[in-house]
Amino acid sequence: MSKLILGIKLGMTQLFAEDGRVVPVTVVASGNNVVIRNKNIESDGYYAVQLGFGEIKDKKVTKPMQGYFKKFEVKPVKFIRELRLKAESEYKVGDVIGVDTFAAGEVVDVIGTSKGKGFAGGIKRHNFARGPMGHGSKSHREPGSTGAMLSGPGGRVLKGKKLPGRMGGIRTTIQHLTVVKVDKDRNLILIKGAIPGPKKGLVLIRDTVKPIKEKQHQEPKKKK
């Protein structure tokens, strides 16, 4: 059964382990997530589950969304997120998911929207190298050649070419993070390390999709 929950990133702090080591953690405030809808192959063409999280005033809910919540007989929520699954969800519509669905020591993936950095050049966005910095150079921080496709009539830049542009603000997943502590009384989940997004950003925590592979010991090859 897939474990997942929505929460709000509060920021980072640190904890002290039993042996005295300092452990950096990110604090995520979550609460009672409600299962709004389950999707399946027969009706939707794929498996997915929709989660709702956060309180919202009735006057701020649009009429289309009021009808949507009424259809599935759930209370209106502020955030709705859908997560695709490989098999049909075991949750039922109306089920409530709390922070105690996770426990300390579990390995999770965290999905969020990275911080938006605005328009950035190639050096900041893609770690390009600088051009010559002497007075005779006219391309200190320019992106350089975009390839031979520009030569001749009908020239164009190939799709996917790394160029200056808007940086950040995209869906980002960080895998294999460890849950350090779960505070059920305050609805907090403390995760080791950094997670995507700014403070007060919405994140989705789920059990890791790809487990960590243990490295197998290999005997050194003998020289012939």
Side-chain angles (χ1 to χ4, degrees):
M1 182 175 179
S2 298
K3 296 182 180 181
L4 61 160
I5 195 170
L6 293 171
I8 299 294
K9 176 180 175 181
L10 298 183
M12 292 195 69
T13 183
Q14 60 187 24
L15 296 178
F16 290 93
E18 295 180 356
D19 57 359
R21 291 182 298 109
V22 176
V23 181
V25 296
T26 303
V27 183
V28 178
S30 186
N32 294 331
N33 285 215
V34 61
V35 179
I36 296 176
R37 181 180 179 185
N38 286 318
K39 293 189 175 182
N40 52 52
I41 294 291
E42 290 75 16
S43 60
D44 305 287
Y46 62 96
Y47 293 116
V49 59
Q50 283 186 357
L51 285 184
F53 168 66
E55 297 181 355
I56 186 172
K57 295 180 180 179
D58 293 337
K59 65 179 182 180
K60 291 188 177 182
V61 182
T62 61
K63 287 186 177 180
M65 291 308 300
Q66 288 177 6
Y68 190 79
F69 292 126
K70 187 177 180 180
K71 177 181 178 181
F72 297 102
E73 299 179 351
V74 295
K75 185 180 178 181
V77 291
K78 186 175 183 180
F79 303 107
I80 298 178
R81 291 295 182 272
E82 178 178 299
L83 186 69
R84 286 206 178 195
L85 304 174
K86 294 183 179 179
E88 190 169 2
S89 172
E90 298 181 15
Y91 294 109
K92 296 180 180 179
V93 176
D95 284 354
V96 177
I97 303 174
V99 295
D100 54 350
T101 190
F102 292 99
E106 289 187 342
V107 180
V108 297
D109 296 342
V110 181
I111 304 170
T113 302
S114 62
K115 293 181 180 180
K117 304 292 185 179
F119 190 93
I123 292 178
K124 180 177 179 180
R125 191 182 186 203
H126 300 297
N127 199 28
F128 284 176
R130 293 187 309 180
M133 297 305 291
H135 290 289
S137 173
K138 297 182 180 180
S139 57
H140 300 303
R141 297 177 68 90
E142 291 182 359
S145 173
T146 54
M149 288 295 292
L150 285 176
S151 61
R156 64 189 180 89
V157 177
L158 293 176
K159 289 184 178 180
K161 187 69 176 177
K162 293 182 178 180
L163 291 170
R166 184 171 293 180
M167 181 178 176
I170 59 174
R171 178 186 170 97
T172 305
T173 302
I174 298 183
Q175 296 180 312
H176 305 155
L177 298 176
T178 304
V179 177
V180 177
K181 184 179 179 181
V182 175
D183 191 337
K184 185 179 178 181
D185 296 332
R186 295 189 291 176
N187 286 328
L188 299 178
I189 301 176
L190 280 67
I191 301 173
K192 184 178 180 180
I195 65 174
K199 293 180 180 179
K200 298 183 180 181
L202 183 69
V203 296
L204 189 148
I205 305 171
R206 63 165 301 169
D207 51 351
T208 187
V209 178
K210 296 180 179 180
I212 302 174
K213 295 182 179 180
E214 296 183 359
K215 294 182 180 180
Q216 298 181 352
H217 177 70
Q218 296 180 350
E219 295 293 336
K221 295 181 180 180
K222 295 182 180 180
K223 295 182 180 180
K224 295 182 180 180

